[in-house]
Amino acid sequence: MEILSPSQWLQSISAGDEILLVNPPVSEVRYAWLKWNQPSDLLLLSNKLKEVLGCKVELLDFMLPDENGRVPNKDYNLKHINGINYKTRLYGTPLDKITKNLDKMSSVWKPNHIVITSLTSYWYEPIIRIIPLFRTYFPEIKISLIGAFPTIETEEAKKIGADIIVNDFFDFTDTIQDFSIYSQETTKLLNDNKELSFGGIKYTQTNTINNIQKQINSLLESKIKNIVIFEHDIFNEDSFILNELLDYIEYNNININIHGLCGIDPSKAKGDIYQKMIRNGFRSFFLEYDATNNELNLDSYKKAYYDLVKFNPIKKIASGNLAGFLMIGTPDDELESMFRHSFNILETCGSLIPKPYTPVPGTVEYKKAINDLGLDKISPHLFPFAEINGISRTDYKDFYQHAAFLNEKRNGSAFNFFDDSHTSISLRKSLSKKVGIL
């Protein structure tokens, strides 16, 4: 086994290498964003391997949704934490289907190197299952592991059977994603001819505006009109990049649908930016959680409501396409604040999305959570700080039911408005006060 830096790994690759990139299955308690899963790091790497190193590259994407946005899933295992059981599911194309596709692929193309990525440090268990499968088909093949798991948890990554561990993230400073790989015949064969339904574009560190335009044009050439901007903060640099993008769309009369699923920090939305976004293709606005010292910054939510709903003369936002995230599971959570904020967000946004918290890798919190629970139990959906912060795991499960009730959805049994749970009591108290914020 070798431990290589990204630059060392790239230097080990030769022109003409036949490389299969793999986006592995995911095991998780819940995964609400299946339709929007896309292996951005692999698409960036594909571009670099093809254009810079001259390699032949194909992609096996276990998580590629079908035309209806669905990804197969099944019961996987149970996670036991302090007397509470969490049922996990395995998301991704089933292995029996993959083996049939590998049989077909082997008759027309055989890679000499497989590269498996990992989106998080804790989504590693399915990788352990697929490495033996690849060894069976290609006994002499070299397997590299990249992404968050080997970067953050290098020692753990050494144990799962890869030949090369890449111990840091690649530098994709001026690289754009290779969306065209999904239209290659071998990649189509591996993925049951499923087509890419959207493109996740990113801000590059250099030549940002030019590269965003290239990404949009690449997607349009593939007849893909649904776009997500995968950035933590799309309003950075005082929205300069976003404004340039919107001006480019408007000037060229580009007809696209931009889904604002991440990076919309309502505290940074200035002037008429929301209406400019609507005018130039934004179809949904999922607002990041904006709170200070457990108090919601209501002014920023009010602005979103006024600009996107009450005084929006451009295009009505469809039901469910304006939503607010609510961070839960933090070390500083307060149950009363969570419920109060849920009502505030629902009143301004119309929909509420609980966003569970997990500690930032490398921090004291992260190391403590792993030491207390184990690497396989620090998923945000397992609430690694429950009980430590004074809120029980049962309360968090109850809060999810509360959110489902507020969104007029039903998960399992119907919500009981008149029971003695904290959820129902808080809801009854809140509604009895009849106090609005707008």
Side-chain angles (χ1 to χ4, degrees), residues 112-376:
N112 61 10
H113 199 147
I114 291 177
V115 181
I116 306 173
T117 192
S118 50
L119 183 60
T120 73
S121 62
Y122 48 84
W123 279 353
Y124 64 91
E125 293 175 284
I127 298 175
I128 299 174
R129 301 177 72 233
I130 64 175
I131 286 180
L133 172 67
F134 294 129
R135 297 286 189 206
T136 300
Y137 275 88
F138 313 107
E140 305 301 320
I141 204 164
K142 189 178 292 185
I143 298 179
S144 289
L145 188 60
I146 70 170
F149 175 50
T151 296
I152 299 166
E153 298 293 339
T154 305
E155 292 304 312
E156 289 297 320
K158 291 178 182 178
K159 303 174 184 178
I160 70 170
D163 300 300
I164 301 174
I165 302 296
V166 181
N167 65 359
D168 204 348
F169 296 106
F170 286 86
D171 178 10
F172 294 122
T173 300
D174 193 25
T175 305
I176 64 173
Q177 299 173 85
D178 176 22
F179 299 112
S180 67
I181 193 170
Y182 285 97
S183 62
Q184 295 174 188
E185 289 304 316
T186 301
T187 291
K188 288 169 64 176
L189 183 153
L190 285 168
N191 295 293
D192 294 324
N193 290 309
K194 287 183 285 189
E195 297 181 349
L196 193 62
S197 60
F198 83 101
I201 66 175
K202 297 181 69 66
Y203 294 174
T204 56
Q205 294 180 33
T206 60
N207 299 318
T208 308
I209 305 302
N210 185 48
N211 284 332
I212 288 177
Q213 295 172 4
K214 285 182 179 179
Q215 291 175 76
I216 290 176
N217 291 335
S218 173
L219 290 167
L220 292 176
E221 287 172 4
S222 299
K223 298 182 180 180
I224 296 171
K225 291 189 175 183
N226 290 299
I227 292 173
V228 177
I229 303 175
F230 282 143
E231 290 293 331
H232 294 298
D233 180 9
I234 68 170
F235 294 141
N236 67 357
E237 298 184 21
D238 290 327
S239 301
F240 173 76
I241 298 172
L242 179 60
N243 272 304
E244 289 289 314
L245 167 61
L246 298 176
D247 289 342
Y248 175 75
I249 292 169
E250 188 165 27
Y251 180 79
N252 291 279
N253 196 28
I254 296 173
N255 181 22
I256 55 177
N257 301 310
I258 305 177
H259 305 274
L261 306 183
C262 53
I264 301 181
D265 180 349
S267 69
K268 295 184 177 181
K270 308 301 181 184
D272 65 347
I273 189 65
Y274 283 132
Q275 295 189 3
K276 188 173 182 180
M277 291 163 75
I278 296 172
R279 193 166 62 247
N280 292 290
F282 270 81
R283 299 292 176 257
S284 57
F285 297 79
F286 288 12
L287 307 184
E288 299 292 350
Y289 185 48
D290 182 18
T292 304
N293 297 324
N294 271 326
E295 290 299 326
L296 208 64
N297 296 323
L298 294 177
D299 286 345
S300 65
Y301 287 92
K302 289 179 183 179
K303 175 178 173 55
Y305 172 77
Y306 291 143
D307 289 1
L308 295 171
V309 180
K310 193 168 185 178
F311 302 118
N312 170 14
I314 303 167
K315 185 180 180 68
K316 183 178 179 180
I317 305 297
S319 175
N321 284 344
L322 173 58
F325 289 109
L326 173 56
M327 185 69 74
I328 62 174
T330 73
D332 301 321
D333 269 2
E334 294 176 359
L335 201 56
E336 293 293 341
S337 296
M338 286 166 49
F339 281 93
R340 187 173 68 255
H341 293 177
S342 71
F343 298 130
N344 293 154
I345 291 173
L346 188 77
E347 188 174 3
T348 50
C349 299
S351 293
L352 167 71
I353 306 173
K355 188 175 187 178
Y357 172 87
T358 198
V360 176
T363 61
V364 173
E365 286 180 350
Y366 179 85
K367 294 174 182 177
K368 177 174 172 49
I370 290 177
N371 184 62
D372 292 346
L373 300 172
L375 180 59
D376 65 323

Side-chain angles (χ1 to χ4, degrees), residues 82-95:
N82 296 338
I84 300 293
N85 293 330
Y86 292 89
K87 184 170 69 173
T88 67
R89 300 190 67 78
L90 184 65
Y91 297 91
T93 305
L95 287 185

